[in-house]
Amino acid sequence: MPGRGLSLLGPALVAGVAYLDPGNVASNMTAGARYGYLLVWVVVAANGMAWLIQYLSATLGIVTGRSLPEELGARIRSPWARRAYWLQAELVAMATDVAEVLGGAVALSLLFGIPLLLGGVITGAVSMVLLAVHSRRGPRHFEFVIIGLMATIVVGFIAGLFVAPPDPAGVIGGMLPRFADSGSVLLAASILGATIMPHAIYAHSALARDRFASTGSARQGTGPTHRIRTLLTATRWDVTIAMVIAGSVNLAILLLAAANLAGQTGTDSLEGAHAAITANLGGLIGTLFAVGLLASGLASTSVGAYAGAEIMHGLLTIRIPLLVRRLITLIPALVILGVGFDPTLALVLSQVVLSFGIPFALIPLLSLTARRRTLGEHANRLWTTVLGILFSALIILLNAVLLWLVLTG
């Protein structure tokens, strides 16, 4: 794309960090170690869905000048309905935060032998520094920091594939949609929740709004249409780059586990996976994996805190300073670390919680972006809406099957 367009990139890359959080690592690593290449198709399909969803979220923020939570807050008339919607969205954001802080704590333990509880405190403290960058220096500086962490994540998680590449036949076979048992369905829902994350849907619309705040009001026909079209073109590139990076890394994690950890005991935990990677691929690859995990926790927890603040502001018109909110939302993760709950199990379960929050973010997004009264000439085309409905139906169906398996298993 033209050089000038490069300056418009960034919001999707920040939102894309949500697809590279420790919950993704745990879900994809566990899937590869337990089922080999079986769930490759889930990672690929989820990433394709994520492209459309993130583009629609950014479009809403660019064209209307408001985030998805702000739009919903203005449209949900009943105060109790708004509070109920906020509560489910907030619980999903908290589940996200738990995964991210736990991942950072585990990484610090692997790298420096720091106790998990102290590692959680350090992860939270560093995330507060990153949020201070956003508050004091603005969204562009925040983007640069997060993109730098994303580059670290990419190196950390992909390096092992160059040492021990996967079996091509296994990868191709993994593209055939199927499940092996209820455990594979649970992991598929976990991968889905980790890939199409509700808080990323909320956050991307706000990130686009913050970056391009001067655009707005296009739905009333007063916005600069040419500028909006330029921004939407740049956003398509932005989302494509972000999803290619996120999808490649998530697939690399699963393939690394499938090729090197299948059948080995203890690899269903991050600590066990790190030990097996170190034993099979060498200390350098093991260290890079831990560094990537740390960068993943630090970057994603900062974006998650930003999303949670936007959810509260948009739905309840209450704005708590980001740093204060960060302190409050650290509590659940620190409690889990303090009582000694298995971090990896908590990570995987948190992703399942996320998968159940997807319809509450996705269905309103599709509804709003399909309306000409909301987006004017930039409203969804018919095929976009149809694809979105199909994706939503598939996600809800998978969650229903998962719930049935859990209740009857």
Side-chain angles (χ1 to χ4, degrees), residues 81-170:
R82 274 201 312 275
R83 290 168 191 151
Y85 189 95
W86 165 79
L87 181 60
Q88 65 80 26
E90 198 68 48
L91 289 174
V92 168
M94 289 175 65
T96 303
D97 202 51
V98 166
E100 293 156 352
V101 174
L102 290 178
V106 170
L108 288 170
S109 176
L110 294 175
L111 288 168
F112 307 110
I114 295 174
L116 289 176
L117 182 57
L118 178 58
V121 172
I122 293 173
T123 301
V126 174
S127 70
M128 291 177 69
V129 173
L130 297 181
L131 290 171
V133 171
H134 184 281
S135 299
R136 299 180 182 181
R137 302 297 298 276
R140 192 58 171 161
H141 288 86
F142 183 65
E143 288 172 9
F144 288 145
V145 174
I146 297 299
I147 291 171
L149 289 171
M150 177 182 276
T152 305
I153 295 168
V154 171
V155 174
F157 292 145
I158 288 184
L161 289 182
F162 292 96
V163 177
D167 173 32

Side-chain angles (χ1 to χ4, degrees), residues 56-66 68 365 368-369 374-375:
L56 294 181
S57 176
T59 298
L60 181 69
I62 290 170
V63 177
T64 68
R66 295 202 290 191
L68 177 58
L365 176 68
L368 288 171
T369 55
T374 304
L375 297 189

Side-chain angles (χ1 to χ4, degrees), residues 247-333:
S248 298
V249 173
N250 282 319
L251 187 58
I253 294 169
L254 188 148
L255 296 180
L256 182 67
N260 299 282
L261 308 183
Q264 297 190 30
T265 58
T267 53
D268 54 351
S269 71
L270 289 173
E271 297 91 337
H274 173 263
I277 289 172
T278 301
N280 294 338
L281 304 180
L284 175 61
I285 299 300
T287 299
L288 288 174
F289 174 84
V291 170
L293 181 62
L294 178 59
S296 168
L298 295 176
S300 57
T301 194
S302 303
V303 176
Y306 171 88
E310 183 59 37
I311 290 168
M312 177 176 286
H313 171 68
L315 290 166
L316 303 184
T317 63
I318 297 173
R319 188 175 289 282
I320 296 177
L322 274 175
L323 299 185
V324 174
R325 179 186 171 79
R326 169 74 283 183
L327 285 173
I328 296 172
T329 55
L330 269 177
I331 294 173

Side-chain angles (χ1 to χ4, degrees), residues 339-384:
V339 301
F341 192 85
D342 179 17
T344 302
L345 178 59
L347 286 171
V348 173
L349 291 177
S350 73
Q351 304 312 298
V352 177
V353 172
L354 295 183
S355 72
F356 283 97
I358 292 170
F360 293 98
L362 184 52
I363 292 174
L365 176 68
L366 286 171
S367 176
L368 288 171
T369 55
R371 297 180 183 180
R372 292 190 66 85
R373 286 195 304 171
T374 304
L375 297 189
E377 66 180 274
H378 307 290
N380 297 345
R381 295 180 181 177
L382 178 61
W383 69 267
T384 304

Side-chain angles (χ1 to χ4, degrees), residues 153-246:
I153 295 168
V154 171
V155 174
F157 292 145
I158 288 184
L161 289 182
F162 292 96
V163 177
D167 173 32
V171 177
I172 295 172
M175 291 297 296
L176 177 66
R178 65 196 191 281
F179 297 108
D181 51 31
S182 60
S184 63
V185 177
L186 175 65
L187 279 170
S190 182
I191 291 170
L192 194 65
T195 304
I196 304 173
M197 304 184 79
H199 83 281
I201 299 174
Y202 299 123
H204 200 169
S205 59
L207 288 163
R209 175 207 62 197
D210 289 350
R211 174 71 99 79
F212 310 119
S214 62
T215 303
S217 300
R219 65 182 183 280
Q220 284 85 23
T222 60
T225 302
H226 176 70
R227 174 166 168 75
I228 290 176
R229 288 175 179 167
T230 300
L231 293 176
L232 292 178
T233 298
T235 295
R236 283 192 286 272
W237 281 96
D238 197 20
V239 174
T240 298
I241 293 169
M243 292 300 100
V244 166
I245 293 172

